[in-house]
Amino acid sequence: MSASLQEVKRRISSTKKTGQITAAMQMVSTAKLNQIQKHTTSYQVYASKIRNVITHLAASHLLENVEPAEAVKKDQFNTLSMLKQRPVKKTGLVVITSDRGLVGSYNSNVIKQTLQLISDNHHSQDDIEIVAIGGIGADFFKKRGYDIVYEFRELSDVPTFREVRPIVRTILRMYQSERFDELFVCYNHFVNSLTSTFRGEQMLPISAENIGSEGLEETSSSGYQLQYDTEPSEEAILEVILPQYAESLLYGAMLDAKTSEHASSSTAMRSASDNANDIIASLQLQYNRARQSAITTEITEITGAQAALE
């Protein structure tokens, strides 16, 4: 067998092994996607209820009637500071990416759109504080000189609520200490197994404007004003509800981002496997043609030798 045929055969063998690896990785990513989708479906019921409560409180103007400075005792964390609007000197961005590659355009899309968000809002690099969830985003912004105020790596494939709470507490204390004056969550939203879209949602401060008007259509059409009687007080109610809302918003974003990551990984590995099969088919055709040419040459030489002997 000639050297060229041996080389083609080695390339076929190597590509087959690569295809087997990418096919296995696709199966793993698909399994993770199915698992997190089941978890997300059940969690969305809770998140929707929390959002509806906050939305209706905003519609009743309850969020506007509370003074954060009077909410808690000295040296305690001021939950109601989440409502405090102040002049924006620093903007915080929670950027959710993966810890590793092999996820197609997932990370590049989040980073590209986050940079576009910074540009569209006319922020300079000195005005931005990055909270990085995932190693790819943390490393990217570090190399470009952005201030990474907090980073969290190795987020679970199906994140738990327990993982999110320390992150939320850290972020809230940074906001209260005026490390930044507003906070956005930047991530890829899962649409379907082939499509995801970038989202940049404002998390802090909490206000009627950034909560939105979901769930209020019926109230608006009925023509009556929402009112609440609170017990023991408006402050006590919001002390419980606001942290749950912040946790649900960030946790929901992480679940959504991880779902998009697994879908992107599955798609990328399926594409890699398809490419490997195409390469194998092309190499096999090349091998067969070379082999056929070698056999034809051998037959011609044998026939020529036999004719010379005669």
Side-chain angles (χ1 to χ4, degrees), residues 80-244:
L80 300 185
S81 65
M82 298 162 65
L83 300 172
K84 187 177 181 180
Q85 304 278 342
R86 54 181 182 248
V88 178
K89 299 176 183 177
K90 293 276 190 177
T91 297
L93 298 176
V94 179
V95 183
I96 305 175
T97 59
S98 69
D99 288 299
R100 54 190 63 85
L102 301 179
V103 289
S105 61
Y106 171 80
N107 290 312
S108 61
N109 183 59
V110 174
I111 292 171
K112 177 182 177 181
Q113 294 296 330
T114 300
L115 292 175
Q116 187 64 48
L117 178 66
I118 294 172
S119 175
D120 290 344
N121 287 277
H122 308 290
H123 292 301
S124 70
Q125 186 169 315
D126 295 334
D127 298 331
I128 299 297
E129 306 280 0
I130 300 291
V131 177
I133 310 297
I136 298 294
D139 294 338
F140 177 88
F141 287 103
K142 274 183 182 178
K143 289 179 180 178
R144 283 151 184 81
Y146 284 86
D147 188 11
I148 308 295
V149 295
Y150 180 83
E151 64 178 278
F152 187 91
R153 297 175 184 252
E154 299 301 328
L155 187 67
S156 301
D157 291 324
V158 182
T160 64
F161 204 69
R162 182 177 298 177
E163 287 180 275
V164 175
R165 278 181 172 169
I167 302 173
V168 174
R169 292 194 186 105
T170 300
I171 290 173
L172 295 183
R173 292 191 183 280
M174 286 181 180
Y175 180 74
Q176 183 178 343
S177 64
E178 300 187 12
R179 187 68 185 263
F180 42 76
D181 304 297
E182 62 179 358
L183 182 73
F184 291 82
V185 184
C186 305
Y187 64 99
N188 267 346
H189 164 62
F190 175 78
V191 178
N192 55 50
S193 58
L194 297 176
T195 307
S196 63
T197 58
F198 175 78
R199 280 188 176 178
E201 299 177 336
Q202 186 170 354
M203 177 177 170
L204 293 172
I206 297 174
S207 66
E209 288 75 18
N210 62 47
I211 289 172
S213 57
E214 294 180 11
L216 295 178
E217 290 78 5
E218 295 181 5
T219 300
S220 301
S221 61
S222 61
Y224 65 84
Q225 177 66 42
L226 284 171
Q227 293 183 345
Y228 281 83
D229 294 325
T230 59
E231 179 66 32
S233 67
E234 295 176 348
E235 289 83 358
I237 296 297
L238 292 176
E239 282 283 348
V240 176
I241 294 296
L242 291 179
Q244 292 184 16

Side-chain angles (χ1 to χ4, degrees), residues 45-96:
V45 176
Y46 165 79
S48 176
K49 294 297 182 182
I50 290 292
R51 188 178 183 90
N52 284 341
V53 170
I54 290 291
T55 302
H56 283 79
L57 290 177
S60 66
H61 304 289
L62 181 58
L63 302 183
E64 303 170 7
N65 300 327
V66 178
E67 289 294 332
E70 302 175 359
V72 295
K73 299 177 182 179
K74 186 178 180 181
D75 298 329
Q76 289 182 325
F77 173 67
N78 191 341
T79 299
L80 300 185
S81 65
M82 298 162 65
L83 300 172
K84 187 177 181 180
Q85 304 278 342
R86 54 181 182 248
V88 178
K89 299 176 183 177
K90 293 276 190 177
T91 297
L93 298 176
V94 179
V95 183
I96 305 175

